[in-house]
Amino acid sequence: MIRVLLADDEAMIRAGLTAVLATDPGITVVAEAADGREAVELAHAHRPDVVLMDIRMPRLDGLAAAAELAGVVPVVMLTTFDEDAYVARALADGASGFLLKAADPRELLIAVRAVADGAAYLSPRVAHRVIAGLRTNELTRPATARKKVSSLTPRERDVLALVGRGLSNQEIGRELHLAEGTVKAHLTSILRNLDVQNRVQAAITAYEAGMASPPPRI
Amino acid sequence: MIRVLLADDEAMIRAGLTAVLATDPGITVVAEAADGREAVELAHAHRPDVVLMDIRMPRLDGLAAAAELAGVVPVVMLTTFDEDAYVARALADGASGFLLKAADPRELLIAVRAVADGAAYLSPRVAHRVIAGLRTNELTRPATARKKVSSLTPRERDVLALVGRGLSNQEIGRELHLAEGTVKAHLTSILRNLDVQNRVQAAITAYEAGMASPPPRI
DNA sequence: AGCCACCCCTGACGATCGTCGGGGGTGGCG
DNA sequence: CGCCACCCCCGACGATCGTCAGGGGTGGCT
């Protein structure tokens, strides 16, 4: 049985959600909160499997409440509009789902089941926005960067990766067992082939191509 | 009536999908393709509202086919596993949805309706990955970067922004009407306050904080 | 007023970077 | 084989960077 906590300041909305959730015999509403502060407290008290939380609420808003519950209980945000700022903040702050109130009631059940199962759920319109965001982040910029980087020799990519982490030529030499002069020669070739003027721009290219730091791919 | 094109090299899978889609009276399958090349051709010929496409297919794989159809017809990728590389590439290349074959059949209907409606759909497990990716991209790194940057003086932020675009101290001086020595002094202060060792790392911090180029927020 | 903290500006000096010229190795090709 | 293209390696030299020490200005506080 999936245990759900509802948080919405309007009793009517809570009643509606309860009614929808009741159509699924595997889901039960264990508590209801009328504001963010109460939601956080009840979440700690009841330990539900999922929290359904409205964004606009008195005292503590849904985003802040979700942030406090991040890692404790998965939270699905509910909202009337798919406003960009909310989506970005909510997902960054730890929400596991984002549901539009205008959604098909069946979506609600799927979302609750998915989130209780450790997955995540985005309303189609929200998913659309997120994907559009990814596209500009992952495709347009890095695509050219990635292409340029792929034209380098393997050794040059080794060097570029370390340049992208801000290492000096001397440090890169130590890391790769090369003389500093060798590193510089590779770098000269890198700059020419990436069509940039200095190591800072090369580092940014490396960064856009996803060569930097602990790989944050999707 | 939503018109669907199915693309999967296994006839059994196509039959199963057709059966599921048939349970929704608002959806009809107008064509079936057995490989990516055929899918692209049939998509242009039939102009369906949605293409359901397997990733692994002969001749042209699903990812490449989806890329060719980007902007023409919305494509939902179907796959057995939620492999990272596939998700990232498919979404970047233009897929509007990503569905696991193991999903609840009801999900398929919701996904088709959503995508036909101009939205997007991600299977819960896929959404989970995407959100996790966003989180490391948008929260953990940039949040601290932004905080550090905000501790700088206005003049230092001016300088940092130009450093982040790969300009030399001399060029920055010209841009801001400063002597080169002044730029260097600001930079020294920047390095100390950002807690980094050289301009490359400062540039990356600037980049993460969103000071670079056309802002790519979500 | 005097003091302090902070910001902005600047030049000199050692450290680092980027270019140039060049050596050695491998693989494809007439 | 001889030639060419490419990759990897290296040191010297001028250009650029980063630090240090310091001057001038402003605003808050006693």
Side-chain angles (χ1 to χ4, degrees), chain A residues 210-218, chain B residues 84 133 136-137 141:
Chain A
M211 301 180 67
S213 55
R217 289 287 72 69
I218 292 180
Chain B
D84 286 27
T136 57
N137 273 332
R141 290 184 292 132

Side-chain angles (χ1 to χ4, degrees), chain B residues 186-201:
Chain B
H186 281 307
L187 188 56
T188 295
S189 174
I190 290 170
L191 298 183
R192 181 162 18 88
N193 288 308
L194 293 185
D195 196 26
V196 296
Q197 279 146 19
N198 55 50
R199 63 165 47 218
V200 173
Q201 295 174 5

Side-chain angles (χ1 to χ4, degrees), chain A residues 132-149:
Chain A
L134 282 184
R135 216 160 279 172
T136 58
N137 273 333
E138 289 294 310
L139 183 69
T140 62
R141 289 185 292 133
T144 71
R146 238 182 274 262
K147 201 165 56 190
K148 284 183 188 172
V149 167

